[in-house]
Amino acid sequence: LREALAHRFGVAVEKILVGNGATELIHLLARTLVRQGDRVAIFTPTFGEYEVACRKESARLSTYPAQEEADFRWDIERGVGFLHRLRPRLVWLCNPNNPTGVYLSQVEATALLEGSAEGWFIIDEAFLPFVDEPWDTLNLLKDSRVVLLRSMTKDYALAGLRIGYALGDKDVIEALRKVRSPWSVNAAAQFAA
């Protein structure tokens, strides 16, 4: 499956890790990249597993909330300032966002990445297949701090099979692989994917 994904996206197989859904990968990222007391930034409202995973690691969580009156779109300039002040070890960004559906442009996402200083920048793209005209986030992988999370459970109706994957620098992928439980992805899910 990793080889098929590598061929499809034109990335090295060493830059891909398949997991038991994106949720397993979220928890692996928190376990691998976050230590007790580390600052973590979450753009909210969003998927709750980012917070759950980082609380398990005793991280200090800070949220940057979108406002309903702005149709739940984040003020990117203020978000960049938030990241500059916070200097988080890790940033979680769901794009398109769950549950609001807000989809950030390449310019907006890149501004947030640049504003995150030296911290890890995780983009959860579980709902990307539902975007009419998505931009190519694979270019962001040139920055070794970026990890892209994708899921096959929504667009291929595989929710019960639990299959997702992470794309990132080979060193972070190897670190995630080392802490992942053996046999976390079953053969039926791999075959369906």
Side-chain angles (χ1 to χ4, degrees):
L1 178 55
R2 290 173 60 223
E3 289 175 1
L5 291 167
H7 178 73
R8 180 175 182 173
F9 298 118
V11 300
V13 71
E14 296 82 16
K15 294 185 171 198
I16 300 172
L17 181 71
V18 176
N20 187 353
T23 300
E24 178 192 30
L25 298 167
I26 289 166
H27 285 266
L28 289 175
L29 283 161
R31 187 178 329 147
T32 304
L33 303 177
V34 177
R35 299 291 171 257
Q36 181 175 354
D38 281 350
R39 294 181 185 274
V40 172
I42 304 174
F43 283 72
T44 62
T46 197
F47 186 48
E49 286 298 325
Y50 314 135
E51 180 177 344
V52 171
C54 290
R55 286 202 186 281
K56 286 182 180 178
E57 306 307 322
S58 301
R60 292 185 291 167
L61 302 177
S62 295
T63 60
Y64 183 73
Q67 303 304 315
E68 183 177 3
E69 56 273 11
D71 294 327
F72 292 105
R73 291 200 65 81
W74 296 286
D75 180 319
I76 300 301
E77 186 175 328
R78 293 180 78 185
V80 169
F82 163 76
L83 294 174
H84 275 301
R85 288 187 303 278
L86 187 64
R87 300 183 62 79
R89 167 86 174 147
L90 188 144
V91 177
W92 293 103
L93 179 67
C94 191
N95 196 39
N97 190 37
N98 170 16
T100 65
V102 168
Y103 183 60
L104 297 183
S105 69
Q106 183 171 358
V107 170
E108 292 170 316
T110 301
L112 294 174
L113 170 61
E114 291 170 357
S116 68
E118 65 278 348
W120 293 96
F121 199 83
I122 314 302
I123 304 177
D124 183 345
E125 299 182 307
F127 289 92
L128 187 64
F130 300 108
V131 173
D132 288 333
E133 296 180 24
W135 53 276
D136 185 7
T137 54
L138 294 174
N139 290 325
L140 296 179
L141 294 176
K142 293 174 186 170
D143 187 322
S144 63
R145 302 174 301 131
V146 173
V147 177
L148 304 176
L149 294 179
R150 295 183 176 175
S151 172
M152 300 178 119
T153 63
K154 279 67 169 175
D155 50 335
Y156 294 106
L158 299 176
L161 289 178
R162 308 298 310 140
I163 191 81
Y165 56 97
L167 299 158
D169 183 79
K170 66 180 182 174
D171 291 337
V172 73
I173 294 298
E174 178 62 17
L176 295 172
R177 190 191 63 72
K178 286 180 180 178
V179 298
R180 183 183 61 181
S181 298
W183 314 109
S184 73
V185 182
N186 68 71
Q190 291 181 61
F191 179 79

